[in-house]
Amino acid sequence: MSAPRTMPALLDEAARRFGSAPAVVDGTTRLSWTELRDQARTVARALSATGVRPGDRVAVWAPNRVEFILSFLGAQCLGAALVPINTRYRGEEARVVLARSGASVLVLCNGFLGSDYLGMLTAAAARTGGPGAVPGLPRLHTVVDIGEDGVATPWQEFLAGAGEVSDAEAAVAPDTVADILYTSGTTGVPKGVMSTHRQTIGVAEVWAKGASLSPADRYAIVNPFFHSFGYKAGVVAALTAGTTIYPVITFDPVDLMDLIQRERITVLPGAPTIFTTLINHPRRTEFDLSSLRFAIAGAASVPENLFADMLNVLGFEQVAQAYGLTECVVATQSRPHEDPAHVAHTTGPAVPGLEIRTVDGEGKDVPTDADGEILIRGEFVMLGYFDDPEATSVAIDAGGWLHTGDVGQLDEHGCVKITGRLKDMFTVGGFNVYPAEVENVLSTHPDVVEAAVIGVDDERMGSVGRAYVTLREGVELDSPALHDYCRERLANFKVPREFVAIAELPRNAAGKIVKRELG
């Protein structure tokens, strides 16, 4: 059965089908599907009372909490678009997103992890001056605080202002913009990726079917809601299937294992580091993790033995990889019950509704098992970048192909193997080196938990590789041994010149390694 194509219709369908079954369990807060629908409509009426109208943008700067879910559903029921903001952002980063999106309402959680979000934002915006709920952001007329600081309109006071039922919901259509997700902006000014209700629900439905989500599942969502993985492959995917949502506010391995045991969690996707942490945790055997059924660990570089360990050590029944990016959230997904050795090497074929090619620098298709830039076309590719037609035309060519900037290979079955990023690639003596290939080899060494490889300047070779590794507990770095290990498995120019042990690789909130912080 296909899900409805708008978020308000999806909410109504979930309430009709699943009724009093648990929809969201957030600590002591437990909402049924009927209650989720009703409370989301209350938020919609409260937003309408502040002046939010169809086409407006509602920003949320908060961790994984039930109020985040209610905020975006309420906005989307009005035909407004969600603009999530990374909880690790500082004031200026948030100001840029709010200014570029023209958000009229900001829902924040002041004090989360000790961050004074409103204080940071006010200080950053004050430099530009002007009117607004935050001086310097003239379009922002309302700030709501779901935290305990009470620095803006408290959540309950905001809800109490809900007015009459609005007729705006009738105007929400499948092609209405549902969300604008801003890219990290590592290469310049952040760009807002626009998706419609139809696209957001469609990609979530594809993910849910690949995971065989059902009302019997209990889904612990560790991935941040501000990221497409936690939002679309998390909350919205659960909405399409009637799966109970357990927001995880921060990743603490002991707390997570306790949650798995206590609530009999069945679905737990995440970045590879989550699973390596659990596998290697000294207290793992104290907890009953036998309820775990399904996991996806998506990343460019995944340790060779990770998926086997997820099956054999953590006890998952099925593990998978997936590949996507903000501009196309789920592009590939492992086929059901794939051999874990194959899962470790590919992210699966294109999902239904998408086409994938790999091309060289001239835009010509490359042969099977050869490196090329990954291009994607189909119904889940973004509409474009908000208010940025020039950047949109660069990303999506005249043929409708999204140029991802990711380097990969297509095997004989049409499965995609990610080998790196165009911008991560470096050249050693005229030969291209894609870090993911080297990282995959290093991660198979018994002493290495994870690896990140970058290119560093070299007078003779132009660049050479430097590998940062995290080591298993009690192991000391043995650079010659790692060099020999790579030399046996890689061409000489791909072998890192230097190895550096590091306690923890720098990551963003989505779990991806931030290589610009290395070196």
Side-chain angles (χ1 to χ4, degrees):
M1 178 178 177
S2 180
R5 298 295 99 175
T6 70
M7 295 300 287
L10 182 64
L11 261 179
D12 288 341
E13 180 69 4
R16 184 189 70 78
R17 292 177 62 197
F18 310 118
S20 61
V24 182
V25 178
D26 184 7
T28 59
T29 300
R30 291 178 177 253
L31 298 182
S32 69
W33 290 100
T34 302
E35 291 168 333
L36 179 66
R37 176 200 61 192
D38 293 347
Q39 290 196 24
R41 290 310 202 294
T42 299
V43 172
R45 291 188 287 112
L47 288 168
S48 180
T50 72
V52 173
R53 299 293 179 261
D56 286 353
R57 276 76 64 196
V58 173
V60 183
W61 195 9
N64 292 12
R65 287 178 42 163
V66 65
E67 295 92 344
F68 194 124
I69 298 172
L70 292 170
S71 295
F72 81 69
L73 290 174
Q76 290 166 343
C77 283
L78 288 178
L82 164 69
V83 178
I85 300 177
N86 190 319
T87 53
R88 295 191 181 185
Y89 274 7
R90 313 316 286 169
E92 177 60 17
E93 294 167 305
R95 186 202 67 79
V96 169
V97 169
L98 291 166
R100 287 180 67 81
S101 66
S104 56
V105 173
L106 169 63
V107 178
L108 53 73
C109 184
N110 217 63
F112 175 61
L113 297 181
S115 294
D116 179 8
Y117 288 140
L118 189 56
M120 291 190 296
L121 177 62
T122 301
R127 291 191 290 271
T128 60
V134 174
L137 290 168
R139 295 186 184 179
L140 183 65
H141 57 66
T142 302
V143 179
V144 179
D145 187 6
I146 68 173
E148 298 178 358
D149 287 1
V151 296
T153 304
W155 179 253
Q156 291 303 325
E157 182 180 320
F158 162 70
L159 295 180
E164 299 300 316
V165 175
S166 168
D167 60 0
E169 189 171 312
V172 180
D175 291 328
T176 299
V177 175
D179 44 70
I180 305 173
L181 276 61
Y182 277 79
T183 59
S184 60
T186 54
T187 57
V189 178
K191 300 185 290 291
V193 175
M194 297 185 293
S195 296
T196 65
H197 284 243
R198 184 200 314 274
Q199 291 175 309
T200 290
I201 293 171
V203 78
E205 190 176 25
V206 163
W207 196 97
K209 287 180 177 178
S212 301
L213 290 189
S214 78
D217 279 312
R218 292 166 295 281
Y219 187 165
I221 305 181
V222 178
N223 303 298
F225 290 172
F226 64 72
H227 188 271
S228 58
F229 199 168
Y231 160 47
K232 297 187 183 184
V235 177
V236 184
L239 281 169
T240 69
T243 295
T244 306
I245 298 162
Y246 289 80
V248 177
I249 193 166
T250 56
F251 172 58
D252 178 281
V254 173
D255 288 349
L256 180 57
M257 289 188 288
D258 181 64
L259 176 68
I260 295 167
Q261 175 177 270
R262 186 176 69 252
E263 297 289 345
R264 308 303 294 158
I265 298 298
T266 59
V267 179
L268 180 68
T273 185
I274 290 174
F275 304 108
T276 57
T277 300
L278 296 182
I279 289 165
N280 293 298
H281 201 278
R283 293 187 58 190
R284 173 179 49 79
T285 56
E286 297 176 22
F287 298 91
D288 179 4
L289 309 180
S290 61
S291 60
L292 293 172
R293 178 186 69 77
F294 178 83
I296 274 184
S301 177
V302 177
E304 180 91 18
N305 59 342
L306 176 62
F307 293 101
D309 284 348
M310 288 169 67
L311 292 168
N312 301 325
V313 178
L314 296 180
F316 284 99
E317 295 176 16
Q318 184 181 347
V319 295
Q321 270 216 72
Y323 162 66
L325 60 164
T326 308
E327 289 83 349
C328 185
V329 175
V330 182
T332 72
Q333 195 171 26
S334 297
R335 294 166 292 198
H337 307 294
E338 194 79 74
D339 183 330
H342 186 68
V343 172
H345 287 98
T346 85
T347 65
V351 301
L354 291 180
E355 304 172 77
I356 290 185
R357 299 165 57 202
T358 49
V359 301
D360 60 21
E362 297 178 354
K364 298 177 181 177
D365 291 294
V366 299
T368 299
D369 296 328
D371 282 328
E373 184 185 6
I374 297 170
L375 273 53
I376 307 171
R377 183 170 67 180
E379 59 184 291
F380 303 135
V381 171
M382 67 169 180
L383 289 183
Y385 296 118
F386 181 68
D387 273 355
D388 200 340
E390 184 177 342
T392 300
S393 65
V394 171
I396 302 176
D397 65 26
W401 291 96
L402 171 68
H403 292 244
T404 67
D406 289 318
V407 177
Q409 303 172 357
L410 284 171
D411 68 14
E412 69 274 19
H413 306 293
C415 293
V416 174
K417 177 182 179 181
I418 307 300
T419 54
R421 287 282 298 169
L422 285 179
K423 65 181 181 182
D424 286 345
M425 184 269 292
F426 57 94
T427 303
V428 178
F431 295 98
N432 292 343
V433 176
Y434 295 101
E437 181 183 10
V438 185
E439 292 159 358
N440 285 334
V441 168
L442 278 168
S443 67
T444 66
H445 191 282
D447 291 346
V448 175
V449 176
E450 289 185 296
V453 175
I454 63 171
V456 295
D457 292 340
D458 182 80
E459 190 172 326
R460 187 172 68 89
M461 303 297 291
S463 299
V464 294
R466 177 187 292 161
Y468 291 85
V469 295
T470 61
L471 301 172
R472 300 197 181 278
E473 191 172 351
V475 173
E476 292 187 1
L477 178 66
D478 186 343
S479 295
L482 291 179
H483 182 276
D484 291 345
Y485 188 83
C486 291
R487 186 72 180 268
E488 292 172 3
R489 293 162 174 80
L490 293 167
N492 186 49
F493 67 90
K494 298 179 184 179
V495 176
R497 176 76 59 83
E498 184 182 1
F499 297 87
V500 179
I502 188 171
E504 187 177 4
L505 294 171
R507 297 180 184 277
N508 62 21
K512 291 184 178 180
I513 296 168
V514 183
K515 289 190 176 181
R516 67 178 180 274
E517 295 184 14
L518 298 171

